[in-house]
């Protein structure tokens, strides 16, 4: 026997049995405690019968429609004593001002409602949008969804509202659903219920009225009730088992509101009326059988799913007769109240029933403290809404939703970057995307874009490039703000996607996952990430996932045809490379950090200490500040960008030869207790032969600080000696210093000779010297039998993905990307731009361990983070932990020497403004500074990394304002203050 043939009495008994079982665990909505309160009693006594009906009516309001709309709302409030306003599009500041004005005009405080399923950003500009519910359905930690609900309550209340028409508790089991779809938590009724409850509890614990929707279940429809009345033809047994399940669980959990949908469900009401007008569905099923006692709200009474065939006023009366407490967005307030009042006067509905519903509404108003209403301030409104916790929470939710469906051969996260030649293609984009910009942070990637309606020529150009790369990263984008289940790409673009070389392709899908089923072969990609939507965070974090900045454990909330089933999702470990995030994610206060750093950096720029600079701060492997400041040079308008590269000066010491020396030390090919003459025979029998490398690297060997090698090229009259420098290159003069300065091929020997013959200091005590670092590249070549630059490139920079960390940048990069340094009037007699500032390094062909490296903050930070990680980065060990610890510890404290091996360390005793580090830098910390205005510092105790790049030597090295201001160490102290 089919369920349809079961007598109604038996069916009602079935529901009654279920209802009694649920009653034992059902939690009553909290606001109902106020239905008989003194305040509610006083309001009821002040209202006429017509004014009481007005409390059932809520109308739509906008904060972007101008004075005429405002006047209409004020008139409606005055004339009809309506119970609430449902706000739609606008901005938060105007929203608050209007709500204050409307409240002031109302006899009874107004309930302010909003349809903000994914946050205020659904309706108001300049506010946050959290991920859509389908993305949230992939999250395994429902605590995050609870936290979102609580934060949403804070934000909604901050703009003067009290009720959110959320959560959507529909089970979306129809992939073609045009109205629910991405708004649902998914197709699993248990997960939909669990996540709906978490969301609801967060909002209600935050003091917000919530309404589950769209009762009794809008998930399995192919019609949009905004435009027509959908029909659901399932049996009552199926509806009870599936569609109603989340709503029943929410009722048991104490949800305080329920929104009824406009649906035709013959199994629940054979009359064919919309569920919003159905006594059988609202009164008999929702209230009597399921025991719901909270607010019952209609879906918008202007939607065609209910207005079609029903007259204004009449339809609103029918909605009240069916059992609704609140009529949301009626077409005509006057007709609605008039028709309802007629029904009361005729005894069709009792005044007692109306009064009970009004008391319920008033009780909800008291629960949200409208009995103590005060106008809201607009000061700091945007900061209160876009607060650090909310911004981080949005990213946490997005990260937790990322779902990896394919990861063949453990491709993700990418490893061995030095073996990869990568191209990215953003499909559905006509300019470089956020996804591609974030990919750039990890390694060199060549980017291409393909618009939705791309020409055959554009596609052929990309196809021609594909064979040159061994890894293709594809972003499939969506040009709509909401991820609908559609494919808008032209047929030719779809064909292009389906013919990609999936054997070496990673796809990040920024669209509704259902639509994957409409693209053949996409499931054959070697790596497939579902990101659910095309927002900034989804793009950014998906790119980070590919390189291991973040991990993934999302699970697909819906099935995708026969390709993937609900619950699919692989776990990917993150944290092997930088995570780019917000300060709060690393336990730092963003206000302290941003304000402190910005003010000090702006002070330095305003006082001409430097034209501009780049800063990067990372804590716990998380980049929390990565910013460019100011201009590339004075009297210019070109701003510094994060891609620009700086002359690292003496930071080259710890960034080039030193990691090579440490690696050779690990391999037993270098001994700290041996001297220069053991590796460079030229120094046999010199006065430096008995100094070992431990002493030399700790600046304890008595070496002179520096030799001005360039002066030896000059005659007394200032011209260059014949055997040193020529204006043009030749076989004898192949070393380029500048475009019109070419150094003799043997001059390097003269530099070595000058070092060899240089006198030693009288005492072997701490004295900073760069002489050894002029020799180290040659020494490393002697040990390894490899070209020095190739050696550090292959063993460090290429593996790290640090492609801007380089010597002689003018050979690789456009000059516009290289920050200029000094106007050299002593040696080169021209502005130095694109080549090393240090004269000695310039005379070494730009390749020295004393100076010569260039980089942006991001790439240099990878090497420094490797040190901070005690030798590892990207899942690979570069240097043994014991070696890093040996080189970064103080070597000769008994001689009042604070240095490590190559690395600088904090002074043994803090010397206030004369110290080389911030007061709170730990004794374990280490780093280096550079003459051009550079500072890098690592603190293992706090897992803190700090990089400061500038060109303070422009236009002259005599500009020492940066030192006098103590900008670098003052900024460093801000970092510790932000941690506190």
């Amino acid at each position: 026997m089919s369920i349809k043939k079961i007598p109604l009495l038996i069916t009602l008994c079935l529901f009654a049995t279920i209802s009694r079982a649920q009653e034992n665990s059902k939690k009553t909505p909290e606001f109902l405690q106020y239905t008989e309160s003194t305040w509610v009693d006083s309001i009821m006594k002040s209202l006429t019968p017509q004014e009481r009906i007005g409390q059932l009516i809520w109308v739509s309001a906008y904060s972007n429609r101008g004075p005429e709309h405002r006047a209409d709302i004020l008139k409606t409030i005055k004339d009809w004593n309506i119970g609430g306003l449902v706000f739609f599009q606008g901005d938060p500041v105007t929203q608050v001002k209007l709500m204050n004005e409307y409240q002031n005009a109302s006899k009874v405080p107004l309930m302010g409602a909003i349809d903000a399923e994914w946050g205020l950003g659904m309706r108001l500009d300049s506010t946050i949008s959290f991920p859509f519910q389908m993305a949230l359905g992939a999250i395994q930690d429902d605590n995050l969804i609870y936290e979102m609900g609580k934060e949403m309550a804070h934000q909604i209340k901050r703009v003067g509202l009290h009720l959110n028409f959320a959560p959507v508790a529909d089970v979306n089991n129809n992939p073609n659903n045009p109205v629910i779809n991405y708004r649902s938590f998914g197709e699993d009724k248990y997960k939909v219920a669990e996540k709906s409850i978490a969301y609801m509890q967060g909002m209600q614990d935050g003091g917000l009225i919530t309404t589950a929707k769209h009762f009794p279940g809008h998930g399995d429809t192919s019609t949009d009730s905004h435009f027509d009345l959908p029909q659901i033809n399932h049996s009552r047994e199926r509806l009870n088992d599936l569609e109603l399940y989340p709503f029943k669980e929410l009722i048991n959990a104490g949800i305080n509101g329920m929104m009824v949908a406009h649906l035709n469900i013959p199994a629940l009401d054979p009359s064919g009326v919309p569920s919003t007008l159905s006594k059988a569905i609202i009164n008999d099923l929702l209230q009597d059988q399921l025991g719901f006692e909270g607010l019952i709200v209609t879906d918008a009474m202007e939607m065609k799913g209910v207005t079609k065939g029903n007259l204004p006023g009449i339809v609103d009366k029918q909605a009240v007769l069916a059992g609704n407490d609140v009529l949301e967005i009626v077409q005509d307030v006057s007709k609605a109240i008039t028709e309802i009042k007629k029904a009361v006067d005729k005894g069709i509905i009792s005044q007692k029933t109306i009064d009970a519903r009004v008391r319920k509404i008033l009780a909800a108003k008291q629960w949200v403290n409208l009995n103590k209403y005060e106008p809201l301030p607009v000061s700091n409104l945007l900061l209160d809404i876009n607060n650090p916790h909310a911004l981080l929470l949005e990213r946490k939710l997005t990260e937790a939703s990322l779902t990896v469906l394919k990861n063949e051969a453990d491709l993700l996260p990418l490893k061995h970057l030095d073996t990869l030649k990568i191209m990215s293609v953003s499909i559905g984009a006509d300019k470089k995307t956020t996804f591609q910009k974030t990919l750039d942070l990890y390694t060199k990637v060549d980017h291409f874009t393909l618009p939705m309606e791309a020409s055959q020529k554009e596609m052929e150009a990309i196809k021609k490039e594909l064979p040159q790369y061994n890894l293709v990263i594809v972003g499939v984008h969506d040009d709509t703000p909401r991820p609908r289940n559609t494919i808008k790409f032209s047929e030719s673009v779809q064909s292009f996607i389906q013919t990609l070389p999936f054997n070496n392709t990673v796809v990040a899908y920024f669209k509704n996952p259902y639509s994957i089923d409409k693209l053949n072969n996409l499931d054959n990609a070697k790596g497939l990430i579902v990101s659910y939507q095309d927002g900034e965070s989804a793009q950014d974090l998906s790119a980070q996932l590919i390189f291991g900045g973040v991990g993934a454990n999302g699970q697909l909330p819906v099935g995708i045809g026969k390709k993937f089933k609900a619950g699919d999702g692989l776990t990917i470990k993150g944290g092997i490379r930088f995570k780019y995030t917000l300060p709060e994610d690393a336990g730092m206060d963003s206000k302290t950090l941003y304000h402190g750093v910005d003010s000090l950096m702006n002070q330095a720029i305003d006082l001409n200490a430097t034209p501009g600079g780049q800063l990067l701060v990372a804590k716990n492997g998380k980049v929390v500040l990565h910013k460019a400041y100011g201009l590339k040079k004075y009297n210019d308008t070109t701003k510094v960008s994060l891609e620009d590269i700086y002359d690292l000066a003496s930071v080259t010491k710890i960034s080039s030869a030193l990691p090579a020396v440490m690696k050779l030390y690990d391999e037993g090919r270098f001994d700290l207790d041996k001297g220069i003459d053991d590796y460079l025979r030229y120094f046999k029998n010199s006065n430096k032969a008995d100094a070992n490398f431990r002493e030399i690297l700790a600046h304890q060997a008595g070496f002179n600080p520096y030799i001005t090698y360039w002066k030896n090229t000059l005659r007394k009259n200032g011209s260059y000696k014949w055997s040193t420098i020529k204006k043009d290159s030749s076989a004898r003069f192949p070393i380029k210093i500048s475009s019109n300065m070419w150094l003799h091929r043997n001059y390097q020997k003269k530099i070595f000779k000058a070092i060899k013959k240089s006198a030693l200091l009288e005492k072997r005590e701490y004295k900073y010297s760069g002489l050894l670092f002029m020799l180290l590249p040659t020494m490393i070549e002697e040990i390894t039998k490899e070209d020095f630059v190739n050696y550090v490139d292959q063993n460090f920079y290429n593996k790290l993905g640090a492609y801007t960390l380089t010597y002689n940048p003018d050979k690789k990069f456009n000059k516009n990307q290289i920050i200029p340094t000094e106007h050299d009037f002593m040696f080169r007699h021209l502005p130095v731009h694109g080549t090393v500032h240090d004269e000695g390094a310039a005379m070494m062909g730009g390749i020295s361990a004393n100076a010569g490296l260039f980089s942006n903050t991001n790439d240099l930070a990878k090497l420094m983070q490797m040190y901070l990680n005690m030798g590892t980065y990207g899942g690979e060990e570069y240097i043994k932990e014991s070696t890093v610890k040996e080189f970064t510890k103080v070597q000769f404290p008994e001689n009042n020497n604070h240095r490590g091996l190559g690395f600088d360390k904090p002074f043994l005793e803090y010397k206030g403004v004369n110290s080389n580090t911030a007061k709170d830098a730990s004794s374990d910390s280490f780093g280096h500074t550079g003459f051009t205005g550079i500072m890098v510092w690592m603190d293992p105790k706090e897992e803190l990394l700090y990089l400061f790049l500038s060109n303070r030597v422009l236009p002259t090295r005599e500009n020492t304002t940066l030192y006098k201001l103590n900008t670098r160490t003052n900024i460093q102290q801000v970092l510790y203050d932000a941690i506190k």
Side-chain angles (χ1 to χ4, degrees):
M1 181 186 293
S2 71
I3 189 70
K4 291 182 180 179
K5 294 182 180 178
I6 296 177
L8 179 61
L9 179 61
I10 298 175
T11 306
L12 291 175
C13 289
L14 174 66
F15 272 97
T17 303
I18 295 170
S19 179
R20 283 194 297 273
Q22 291 173 339
E23 191 71 32
N24 296 327
S25 58
K26 185 167 69 70
K27 183 179 177 183
T28 302
E30 288 184 8
F31 76 88
L32 292 174
Q33 64 185 297
Y34 296 114
T35 52
E36 303 295 333
S37 72
T38 302
W39 182 77
V40 170
D41 284 344
S42 68
I43 297 296
M44 289 296 293
K45 289 175 183 176
S46 72
L47 298 177
T48 66
Q50 179 175 297
E51 288 175 330
R52 294 180 186 184
I53 294 171
Q55 287 296 298
L56 310 181
I57 308 295
W58 296 4
V59 302
S60 59
Y62 293 77
S63 53
N64 64 353
R65 287 198 174 178
E68 187 175 329
H69 174 70
R70 169 180 157 275
D72 286 344
I73 297 295
L74 288 170
K75 187 176 188 306
T76 302
I77 292 170
K78 180 180 178 182
D79 291 351
W80 300 108
N81 192 48
I82 58 172
L85 298 172
V86 182
F87 273 90
F88 288 87
Q89 272 62 37
D91 71 273
V93 173
T94 306
Q95 156 81 54
V96 169
K97 289 178 179 178
L98 286 174
M99 195 59 181
N100 286 340
E101 184 177 10
Y102 295 153
Q103 291 285 23
N104 186 56
S106 182
K107 179 178 179 180
V108 180
L110 294 159
M111 179 74 83
I114 192 167
D115 202 350
E117 294 166 19
W118 51 86
L120 287 178
M122 183 174 174
R123 300 298 181 194
L124 304 180
D125 62 32
S126 307
T127 59
I128 293 173
S129 286
F130 294 103
F132 297 111
Q133 281 192 199
M134 182 177 283
L136 299 179
I139 294 175
Q140 300 309 295
D141 182 4
D142 289 344
N143 290 322
L144 281 173
I145 297 172
Y146 171 86
E147 195 177 340
M148 181 191 75
K150 201 161 186 181
E151 176 58 34
M152 203 173 289
H154 160 73
Q155 295 193 17
I156 290 172
K157 287 162 62 180
R158 183 62 184 87
V159 296
L161 306 179
H162 321 93
L163 183 151
N164 190 12
F165 294 127
V168 173
D170 302 310
V171 180
N172 198 86
N173 42 23
N174 185 339
N176 296 315
N177 192 316
V179 63
I180 304 303
N181 208 297
Y182 64 89
R183 297 165 64 196
S184 165
F185 284 118
E187 67 178 45
D188 184 313
K189 67 178 183 180
Y190 301 107
K191 289 187 176 181
V192 170
E194 291 164 5
K195 295 179 190 302
S196 294
I197 289 170
Y199 186 10
M200 172 273 288
Q201 288 176 335
M203 287 190 284
Q204 291 188 181
D205 286 354
L208 200 67
I209 296 289
T210 64
T211 62
K213 61 186 186 184
H214 303 81
F215 184 85
H218 207 322
D220 195 3
T221 62
S222 55
T223 302
D224 187 341
S225 53
H226 290 85
F227 307 109
D228 206 344
L229 181 64
Q231 186 169 1
I232 297 177
N233 292 312
H234 296 304
S235 68
R236 191 155 189 156
E237 182 180 48
R238 146 68 190 258
L239 293 167
N240 182 59
D241 178 64
L242 183 59
E243 275 77 8
L244 286 170
Y245 180 82
F247 296 101
K248 291 186 290 186
E249 293 298 303
L250 281 159
I251 291 169
N252 291 338
I255 192 164
N256 41 34
M258 192 71 66
M259 177 185 283
V260 182
H262 307 310
L263 300 169
N264 175 12
I265 312 175
L268 299 181
D269 187 343
S271 70
V273 301
S275 44
T276 359
L277 310 182
S278 169
K279 185 175 183 294
I281 290 174
I282 297 173
N283 186 277
D284 300 347
L285 173 59
L286 179 58
Q287 291 182 297
D288 293 348
Q289 293 161 24
L290 300 184
F292 181 64
E293 302 174 77
L295 274 182
I296 302 174
V297 183
T298 68
D299 207 341
M301 295 298 291
E302 62 182 3
M303 292 165 62
K304 288 184 170 56
V306 71
T307 62
K308 200 171 183 179
N310 294 306
L311 295 174
I314 301 296
V315 72
D316 304 300
K317 175 188 71 177
Q318 291 172 330
V320 171
L321 293 175
N324 292 287
D325 299 315
V326 173
L327 309 184
E328 181 205 356
I329 314 177
V330 300
Q331 289 180 290
D332 188 316
V333 174
S334 171
K335 288 180 180 178
I337 292 177
T338 299
E339 289 298 329
I340 295 167
K341 189 171 186 303
K342 283 181 185 178
V344 174
D345 293 342
K346 292 178 181 179
I348 299 172
I349 185 169
S350 69
Q351 185 66 49
K352 183 179 179 182
T353 299
I354 296 292
D355 289 351
R357 295 181 187 176
V358 175
R359 280 185 174 276
K360 200 190 291 187
I361 293 167
L362 293 174
K365 291 183 178 183
Q366 182 169 352
W367 187 77
V368 296
N369 294 318
L370 277 170
N371 59 318
K372 303 173 184 176
Y373 167 75
E374 291 184 3
L376 283 173
V378 294
S379 58
N380 297 318
L381 177 60
L382 292 180
L383 291 175
D384 290 346
I385 293 171
N386 298 289
N387 63 80
H389 173 262
L391 295 171
L392 177 59
L393 178 59
E394 185 271 332
R395 290 181 65 84
K396 283 184 175 180
L397 290 161
T398 302
E399 180 183 339
S401 73
L402 298 178
T403 305
V404 177
L405 296 180
K406 295 285 294 295
N407 188 27
E408 291 183 9
D410 291 326
L411 177 64
L412 302 176
L414 297 179
K415 306 165 193 74
H416 309 301
L417 300 184
D418 54 322
T419 68
L420 299 175
K421 187 175 183 185
I422 307 173
M423 76 177 290
S424 81
V425 185
S426 278
I427 301 173
D430 54 9
K431 63 180 180 180
K432 191 174 182 179
T433 60
T434 297
F435 178 61
Q436 292 175 313
K437 291 175 183 177
T438 302
L439 293 175
D440 275 338
L441 294 173
Y442 290 97
T443 192
K444 180 173 175 53
V445 180
D446 295 330
H447 301 293
F448 301 85
T449 58
L450 198 67
M452 291 211 165
E453 299 287 340
S455 66
Q456 194 64 36
K457 183 178 178 181
E458 288 173 300
M459 287 182 283
E460 289 300 325
I462 293 177
K463 286 181 180 179
K464 186 177 178 181
E465 296 286 340
L466 286 169
Q468 300 180 43
Y469 300 88
N470 60 7
L471 182 67
V472 181
I473 299 175
V474 176
V476 182
H477 297 270
D478 199 322
D479 71 342
T480 58
R482 301 179 184 183
R484 302 193 184 279
N485 184 19
T486 55
I487 295 290
K488 294 178 64 179
F489 302 130
S490 66
E491 289 186 12
S492 57
V493 171
Q494 291 184 51
S495 177
F496 171 85
I497 296 171
Q498 292 163 178
T499 57
L500 284 168
F502 288 112
N503 62 310
N504 66 339
T505 299
V506 174
V507 175
Y509 200 74
F510 300 106
K511 293 171 64 65
N512 188 311
Y514 280 130
S515 62
I516 290 176
D517 203 35
K518 299 177 181 179
L519 290 170
N520 294 331
N521 294 330
L522 205 63
D523 53 315
N524 291 322
K526 198 166 185 179
L528 177 58
I529 301 164
V530 176
S531 308
Y532 297 97
Q533 54 199 80
D534 204 15
E536 294 286 314
S537 293
Q539 290 191 42
D540 177 28
L541 290 162
S542 296
Q544 294 194 42
L545 167 61
I546 289 171
F547 285 96
V550 302
N553 68 348
Q555 294 181 1
L556 201 61
V558 295
I560 304 174
K562 295 180 180 179
K563 297 175 180 177
F564 302 100
K565 62 182 184 300
D568 282 353
L570 303 170
T571 298
I572 304 294
K573 182 181 179 182
I576 67 168
R577 293 190 180 92
F578 278 132
K579 177 182 183 181
Y580 296 84
T581 183
L582 301 176
E584 280 70 19
D585 197 20
M588 299 178 77
D589 179 69
S590 55
K591 184 177 180 181
T592 301
L593 179 66
Y594 294 154
H595 175 74
V597 172
D598 285 353
S599 61
L600 287 167
M601 197 63 192
N602 291 331
Q603 176 197 48
I605 292 170
D606 291 343
L607 295 176
N608 292 336
T610 180
Q614 285 178 11
L615 271 77
L616 186 145
V617 177
K619 189 177 188 304
N620 306 331
K622 301 173 181 179
V623 177
V624 297
L625 186 149
H626 185 207
K627 192 170 182 180
Y629 294 85
L631 306 174
K632 296 183 180 183
K633 56 184 178 180
Y634 298 110
N635 302 319
D636 192 9
T637 58
T638 309
K639 293 182 179 180
V640 177
S641 77
L642 291 174
E643 291 74 37
D644 291 331
I645 57 179
Y646 280 81
D647 184 330
L648 302 182
S650 285
V651 170
T652 301
K653 292 179 172 68
I654 65 168
S655 307
S656 62
L658 194 62
V661 166
M662 295 165 78
K663 177 177 173 58
L664 294 172
Y665 177 82
D666 280 346
E667 296 169 352
R669 302 165 74 187
F670 174 77
D671 191 336
L672 283 169
D673 295 319
K674 290 185 177 180
I676 298 177
D677 58 324
D678 289 303
Y679 298 101
L680 294 174
R681 293 180 179 276
Y682 178 73
F683 283 86
K684 287 282 186 184
N685 303 317
S686 72
N687 61 354
K688 299 170 182 64
D690 64 338
N692 64 46
F693 275 99
R694 189 178 299 276
E695 293 173 314
I696 301 170
L697 287 169
H699 305 280
Q700 184 70 29
F703 286 13
N704 273 297
Y706 194 68
I707 298 172
T708 52
Y709 310 101
W710 64 272
K711 289 186 176 180
N712 295 327
T713 66
L714 300 178
R715 297 187 179 97
K716 288 183 180 180
N717 65 4
S719 64
Y720 298 117
K721 294 176 182 177
W722 182 88
S723 61
T724 58
I725 293 173
K726 297 292 184 184
K727 289 184 179 180
D728 296 310
S729 64
S730 66
R732 294 180 65 201
F733 293 86
I735 302 171
K736 182 180 179 180
I737 295 175
S738 68
S739 59
N740 63 349
M741 290 181 68
W742 296 84
L743 187 67
H744 194 280
R745 64 191 178 193
N746 292 329
Y747 199 83
Q748 187 180 91
K749 293 179 180 178
K750 293 187 177 184
I751 292 176
F752 278 31
K753 184 177 180 180
I755 295 172
K756 180 178 180 180
K757 288 191 171 184
S758 63
L760 295 175
L761 301 175
E762 290 184 7
K763 294 173 64 178
R764 286 201 177 184
E765 59 185 6
Y766 168 63
K767 190 70 175 180
Y768 179 80
S769 171
L771 299 189
L772 169 71
F773 292 89
M774 301 292 289
L775 309 173
L776 284 179
T778 301
M779 186 192 84
I780 289 165
E781 288 179 343
E782 288 288 330
I783 296 172
T784 63
K785 308 304 179 188
E786 295 181 44
D787 176 78
F788 171 69
V789 173
N790 287 343
Y791 183 82
V792 291
D793 278 346
Q794 292 171 13
N795 286 284
F796 296 98
Y797 309 155
N798 294 345
K799 290 183 176 183
L800 290 165
Y803 63 96
T804 67
L805 192 53
T806 187
Y807 286 101
N808 292 319
D810 57 335
K811 295 180 180 179
K812 299 180 183 179
F813 298 96
N814 188 299
K815 212 169 183 179
N816 292 333
Q817 194 178 340
I818 307 169
I819 299 293
T821 53
E822 188 173 16
H823 293 180
D824 182 359
F825 296 108
M826 298 184 298
F827 177 44
R828 283 158 283 198
H829 304 286
L830 48 73
V832 180
H833 187 189
T835 56
V836 62
H837 171 264
D838 180 87
E839 297 88 357
M843 298 176 79
M844 299 287 286
I847 299 169
S848 170
N850 186 61
L853 269 185
F854 286 70
S855 182
N856 60 30
T857 47
N858 189 63
D859 281 347
L860 179 59
K862 296 168 188 175
L863 180 65
M864 299 301 123
Q865 186 66 39
M866 182 270 285
Y867 289 146
L868 193 52
N869 293 347
M870 294 294 121
T872 64
Y873 188 80
E876 183 173 351
E877 183 181 73
Y878 291 79
I879 302 166
K880 291 179 181 177
E881 180 178 355
S882 59
T883 298
V884 178
K885 288 183 175 179
E886 180 62 31
F887 274 67
T888 58
K889 76 177 184 181
V890 175
Q891 299 293 317
F892 299 98
E894 67 278 6
N895 291 334
N896 198 32
N897 182 341
H898 66 278
R899 291 272 179 170
L901 296 174
F903 292 99
D904 197 3
K905 298 277 293 176
F907 291 157
L908 298 178
E909 291 184 9
Y910 182 67
K911 300 178 182 179
V913 294
N914 296 317
S915 281
N916 62 339
T917 65
K919 173 174 61 69
D920 287 346
S922 78
S923 59
D924 292 335
S925 68
F926 56 93
H928 215 286
T929 56
F931 188 74
T932 51
I934 313 295
M935 182 175 183
V936 300
W937 212 266
M938 294 137 275
D939 193 337
K941 184 177 179 182
E942 294 288 355
E943 294 187 63
L944 183 65
L945 171 63
Y946 166 48
L947 283 82
F948 180 107
L949 304 188
S950 77
N951 55 334
R952 69 98 196 162
V953 294
L954 185 75
T956 171
R957 68 186 68 193
E958 302 304 321
N959 179 12
T960 58
T961 307
L962 191 71
Y963 302 152
K964 293 172 183 175
L965 292 173
N966 211 25
T967 301
R968 295 177 295 181
T969 52
N970 285 342
I971 287 177
Q972 187 184 29
Q973 183 57 47
V974 169
L975 314 187
Y976 290 96
D977 295 341
I979 295 171
K980 292 177 182 179

